[in-house]
Structures are given as C-alpha cells and as structure tokens.
Amino acid sequence: QFMEQTAQENILALAKSGKIVLLFGMVPEFDLNFKKCELLSKALKIKTKFSGEIEEIEAFDEKFSTYIYADIKRSGRKTQEIAWKSRKCVGVMASYGKGKILFFSFDLASDLNPNKLLFLQKLFQEFKISSIGHTSDPRVDLIAQKFNKSTVLYLFNPQGSFWQEERKAQPVILSLNCKKLGIKRGKIQLVELFSDEVIKTSVKELELGISLSLSDMESRMYLVEKK
C-alpha cells in the first residue's frame, strides 16, 4: 500500500517506453510519508481491498492454492482480468503507452508447487518474459544487477542453517543469457568479488551452463567481464 511517487513514476515510464512490468501485492495508495499517491492505481484503473486469506486461484487454465493479499476492483474497460478466485478478480493486465503492466494481488512465489510453476511458465510465454539466467536448483537465488556497462551476479543457497557445524556442498548449474547482458560472443570470466576465484568461460558455455559448488547458506558475488 506504500510506494514513493518517484518509484511509481519510474514503473509507469518503463511501461510507457515499451517494457512489460510485472507487479504483485496491493496497489499503492500512499507514499512513504503517508501522503496520498495513487499514480499506479489511476494508470491501471484498479483498487485493492485487503483479504489476507489462502484460496484457490484460476489463471491460464491452471488452478493452485496460494496466499491472497487483496481482491481487485476494476474501473476501466481497457484493464483486462486474467486471474480469479471464486469469480473475484486477483490479476489484471493493462496496456500503458507502448508496453503493458501485469498486476497480481496474490503471492507469485512458486513454492515449487507444480501447478503454480505451470501457471508462471504460461504467463511468461504469453507475454514473452524471459530471465537473464537460472540455476538447476530453483531454491538457489540468482540476481543479476547492471551498473553502467558492468554486470554483477548474486548467488545464494538458502538451504540449511547458519548454526550447522557442517555445511553440505552441492553442485549447481548456472546458465546465463549473455545476449541480454550485451555480450553476443567471445570469452568471458566471472570474478568472485570476495575471494580469488576466477572462472574462465565463454558465451556459448555460459548459455549451456557451467557447474559450481555451493554449500548450505553460502553466497557468491561475481563480476561478469568480457575478455
């Protein structure tokens, strides 16, 4: 329900420029100073009403149970309903400028639920959304962040506990879509920023996948460099 005005403006600017923006939660009503700020609500022509319940969702011919933050009330004809719970709207799609905004009022985390994973796969295929990369273990977090012309990868294995005396290592395959990073061909190296580790590879190898070993609760931070 809270989001800074500049953040809402940036989201709308992305959609206006032709991007597809995916959001979930409750549509913001206030900024962080508790002042009314409904830029997203007005652009999407929706309001949300808190529900806080676990219900079955139906979307893209899939059904799954998940936590629902709110029900969505639509006020514009151009905003299309794309997800429901007991005939109440919990997901919409709205065109904005050259792009689109997808808004869901339920938890989008897959929780390794097979039906929810199928829903997410169909959603991404329908709107041609693809990630920069992925790992062979869906429990391992992967984030890619661009800084000017550089890219940093964050890997974290949340399994296990900080209090374990012995932490089990496991092999993980890391795959990256290098073209999305602006690297079309050639050799690449991944430089771990907190150790001396350097992984020398290539665009082709990285797209197919390279093998890493991650222990429980271990994190890595790699700088992606073109050679």
Side-chain angles (χ1 to χ4, degrees), residues 78-122:
K78 291 184 178 180
T79 301
Q80 178 184 348
E81 295 184 6
I82 57 176
W84 303 265
K85 63 119 187 183
S86 303
R87 297 184 180 181
K88 290 184 178 180
C89 177
V90 291
V92 297
M93 184 276 290
S95 295
Y96 190 83
K98 297 178 181 179
K100 290 180 174 64
I101 300 175
L102 309 175
F103 184 88
F104 298 95
S105 60
F106 58 86
D107 184 8
L108 279 185
S110 72
D111 299 320
L112 302 184
N113 180 322
N115 290 343
K116 203 171 184 183
L117 284 167
L118 283 172
F119 152 71
L120 290 169
Q121 183 180 34
K122 290 179 179 180

Side-chain angles (χ1 to χ4, degrees), residues 6 21 31-33 52 57 64 84-85 97 103 107 110 117 128 139 162 174 179-180 222:
T6 52
V21 181
D31 66 14
L32 299 187
N33 294 315
I57 301 290
F64 51 89
W84 303 265
K85 63 119 187 183
F103 184 88
D107 184 8
S110 72
L117 284 167
K128 296 180 174 59
R139 294 168 294 184
F162 281 116
L174 167 67
K179 291 178 182 177
K180 285 203 165 191
Y222 290 104

Side-chain angles (χ1 to χ4, degrees), residues 3 36 45 48 77-78 92 143 156 161 179 191 201 203 208-209 218-219:
M3 186 183 290
K36 274 284 187 181
K45 299 192 183 322
T48 50
R77 293 181 180 179
K78 291 184 178 180
V92 297
I143 298 172
F156 176 58
S161 166
K179 291 178 182 177
V191 181
T201 181
V203 167
L208 288 173
E218 183 180 4
S219 62

Side-chain angles (χ1 to χ4, degrees), residues 2 9 23 27 49-50 61 64 67 70 73 85 104 124 128-129 133 139-140 149 161 175 188-189 195 198 217:
F2 299 88
E9 289 171 345
L23 304 169
V27 71
K49 183 179 179 181
F50 177 76
D61 298 321
F64 51 89
Y67 182 81
K73 184 176 181 182
K85 63 119 187 183
F104 298 95
F124 295 159
K128 296 180 174 59
I129 299 171
R139 294 168 294 184
V140 173
K149 294 183 179 180
S161 166
S175 302
I188 292 175
Q189 69 178 20
S195 70
V198 176
M217 303 304 291

Side-chain angles (χ1 to χ4, degrees), residues 178-210:
C178 296
K179 291 178 182 177
K180 285 203 165 191
L181 301 177
I183 306 172
K184 296 181 179 179
R185 61 181 68 86
K187 295 182 178 180
I188 292 175
Q189 69 178 20
L190 306 181
V191 181
E192 216 289 319
L193 298 179
F194 296 108
S195 70
D196 296 328
E197 181 190 15
V198 176
I199 300 174
K200 294 182 179 180
T201 181
S202 67
V203 167
K204 185 176 181 180
E205 285 180 345
L206 206 45
E207 288 182 347
L208 288 173
I210 60 172

Side-chain angles (χ1 to χ4, degrees), residues 24-47:
F24 71 95
M26 295 183 68
V27 71
E29 292 184 56
F30 308 96
D31 66 14
L32 299 187
N33 294 315
F34 297 91
K35 293 181 181 178
K36 274 284 187 181
C37 187
E38 299 181 297
L39 299 181
L40 280 174
S41 177
K42 290 176 181 177
L44 290 166
K45 299 192 183 322
I46 61 170
K47 298 275 189 181

Side-chain angles (χ1 to χ4, degrees), residues 212-226:
L212 305 172
S213 180
L214 276 179
S215 299
D216 293 342
M217 303 304 291
E218 183 180 4
S219 62
R220 305 268 184 88
M221 187 183 294
Y222 290 104
L223 177 65
V224 182
E225 292 184 336
K226 189 178 186 307

